[in-house]
Amino acid sequence: MWSKLFLVAAVVLLSSLFFCEAYVSYDSRGISINGQKKILISGSIHYPRSTPEMWPDLIQKAKDGGVDVIQTYVFWNGHEPEPDNYYFEGRYDLVKFIKLVQQAGLYVHLRVGPYACAEWNFGAFPIWLKYVPGISFRTDNGPFKDAMQKFTTKIVSMMKAEKLYETQGGPIILSQIENEYGPIEWELGDPAKNYVQWAAKMAVDLGTGVPWIMCKQDDAPDPIINTCNGFYCDYFYPNKPYKPKIWTEAWTGWFTEFGGAVPYRPVEDMAFSVARFFQTGGSYINYYMYHGGTNFGRTAGGPFIATSYDYDAPIDEFGLLRQPKWGHLRDLHRAIKLCEPALLNGDHKVMTLGSSQEAHVYQTKSGACAAFLANYDEKSYATLSFWNGKHNLPPWSISILPDCKNIVYNTAMVGAQTAQMKMNTVSKDFSWNSYFEETAFHHGNLFSAVGLVEQINITRDNTDYLWYSTEVVIDSSEGFLKGGQWPVLTVLSAGHALHVFVNGELAGTAYGRLEEPRLTFSNGVNLKAGVNQIELLSIAVGLPNVGTHFETWNAGVLGPVSLNGLNEGKRDLTWQKWTYQIGLKGEFLSLHTVTGSSSVEWMEGSYVSRSQPLTWYKTTFNAPDGDEPLALDMNTMSKGQIWINGKSIGRYWNEYKASGNCGTCNYAGWFDEKKCLRNCGEASQRWYHVPRSWLYPAGNLLAVFEEWGGDPSGISLVKRQVASVCADIHEWQPTLVNWQLLSSGKVDKPLRPKAHLSCSAGQKISSIKFASFGTPEGSCQNYREGSCHAFHSYDVFQRYCVGQESCTVPITPEIFGGDPCPSVMKKLSVEAICS
């Protein structure tokens, strides 16, 4: 059946050539757009993780970095928060986002899913889907398939109506159905296999005119293309010889979780993995993420996923270039594109050049030739003899020769500048007001029941918070009242965090982690004779985004709950009468808004609470001058949520310190998400992005709800700026520009590279912190002179760079006053201060 379907799809794609003069097709060597086969570089930018005002700049920076395609998921729960109640405005204006990509001259890969994962709340499934009668997620289940088909059809119809598919003259060249389903299929068996067949046919039958893909799906049926996700995908090949080799998620870093150290991926290894993919026949790569952005509001999943989704991407969370990652990958893309004719049309030959070295050569009958020289040794340089030339390769690196003769790029030799960032305080010492959120119940979202209830069933994920309250009567004869140990209250919860109050006082806190969200609270509690109020504030920290049977997942206090150490021994509280309140009083009153905040009386001046749990804080501030990105420094706070002018910045949790091994990280060798870490012993996230488009010129309302007890006097508003820029370049380091000049005949001898330094717009280089041409040691911010040093190194950069926004300095001995050590291979290291 599928072979016939594949032929039909091929006819549809080809017929569009004659009627629309626009079509997308594929073969084993790559994707063809209107008959032109291309090497495609793609980057993920998720539209809800930034603001519409940021989109044009993000897209342009991606284009400037050599990106051809913008890839994004579609976020079902953002677009259909209630059944048949659709939302496509603001950050969820999908059509606007795609049209901006088109205006920039780029293509789009639309990952309809509609399951996204993406560390997004509930994997981007709307929570109401969990309560459709008879539903079982992501398997051969009628209610689920009906809902999935309805939403997928909605999105495809919208794209068609706006003429956004390439066959209509639009930018969408690829679509994705489902997402990373292979591991789920293996676990669920035959019903999952049936579901895969159904999903593929359903997608193809929608008639988009562009190919569909399934990632991490080895048995994707024709004409669906199966693709690879991972840190490395050179090993991957599609399930049919006529399908192209596509890498849908080349992970540029990893996500941050509250309580976890911050992962980062060295650009040398990122570039190595990409070059390795292309040298083995790859034709399409997508960086996940190219810009990660921010999990605004309560969109973070996990649970325990941080509000920042920076992902160590080439464009950082705030929309600024992450250097050298952006620049080094841009140079890689330029080198790959020079090899495009040979890669797409040439015969591929592999040559062994050593125990851990090889060459991949692509050569066409017309004479086009491109080569990749690879040194897989993790510790040692290698000198390779190739085509009558000798080439020295650093460890764990690949050199690219677009003419099979001259190296224009090596993955481990970074020519792009490194930028060190700083957070400059622009506003602090805010005038705070406070309001105490009482533990006693105050509003109408209230009910009672015998026994414990599951949290999400009650809140429907409209709030993170659910109060559980019960009474405990203590007889005056209890032994502990006469000086013994306090009774121990034990509470078992499905997660994710819990604050325990006894008679209105905080008795303790417990919380889980990403790998194990369940928790147990077990502490002695101070009870009095008579009636005692036990109040448990259960807190969700994002719903899980990956796994099987979403419909069965739960959160909250499921018990048992017990008191130990009474005269009777153990008292089970699980099946007592419990009273429940959905959400907080402050949420019910909308204290985070201008209107709502005026509905209560706030404490001012010396009466403002400090380090108290369950406290709302508010202040106002004016927008700082300039256009630099802004953030809130929340380092003195513990756990809660932040709003600006009624819009949610997201959750903060600075009290949950990062654990992990944050030792030195060598780029060489296989990378995984635990290899390179920062922030151990510190807050997983300290700074929280404040979009400038959310601000008024004056009178902006900042509201904070603190659960645990923090000090708002330490909160400050900061600007993110470049602190310094560095270059670290060898004197004969290959560059693309130099090769182009040589191959064009404009010069007849090898040229030396140049150091390029550039501060941000509005900044200038104010001083030179370090400069040395010779054998300098160390890295940016920690350079030091080696045994060989040209004494005029500083003078050159003082003359060329100080007072300039950017500068270029050729790396030649003459400019530094002569060769300081003639028989030694030299390099330049320089750090310039931006201000």
Side-chain angles (χ1 to χ4, degrees), residues 153-226:
T153 302
K154 170 77 176 179
I155 296 300
V156 169
S157 297
M158 179 180 289
M159 299 302 104
K160 286 182 178 180
E162 297 289 338
K163 300 187 183 305
L164 293 177
Y165 286 105
E166 175 66 25
T167 49
Q168 301 172 296
I172 301 174
I173 59 169
L174 287 172
S175 289
Q176 178 178 305
I177 195 69
E178 247 299 335
N179 185 49
E180 297 185 323
Y181 191 69
I184 305 299
E185 180 184 7
W186 182 86
E187 188 170 343
L188 297 183
D190 288 340
K193 293 181 184 295
N194 296 336
Y195 168 69
V196 168
Q197 296 289 324
W198 169 85
K201 184 178 185 305
M202 182 268 289
V204 172
D205 285 350
L206 291 173
T208 62
V210 303
W212 287 84
I213 67 118
M214 284 181 166
C215 61
K216 295 178 76 169
Q217 191 67 50
D218 292 342
D219 62 351
D222 286 350
I224 307 292
I225 307 168
N226 64 305

Side-chain angles (χ1 to χ4, degrees), residues 669-712:
W670 297 104
F671 180 84
D672 62 38
E673 68 275 15
K674 303 291 187 183
K675 181 179 180 181
C676 303
L677 301 172
R678 297 189 179 102
N679 283 32
C680 290
E682 304 174 11
S684 301
Q685 181 178 350
R686 175 175 177 176
W687 292 286
Y688 293 80
H689 182 206
V690 177
R692 276 193 175 266
S693 59
W694 289 10
L695 300 183
Y696 310 121
N700 296 285
L701 174 65
L702 167 58
V704 176
F705 176 64
E706 170 60 47
E707 301 171 12
W708 202 335
D711 183 1

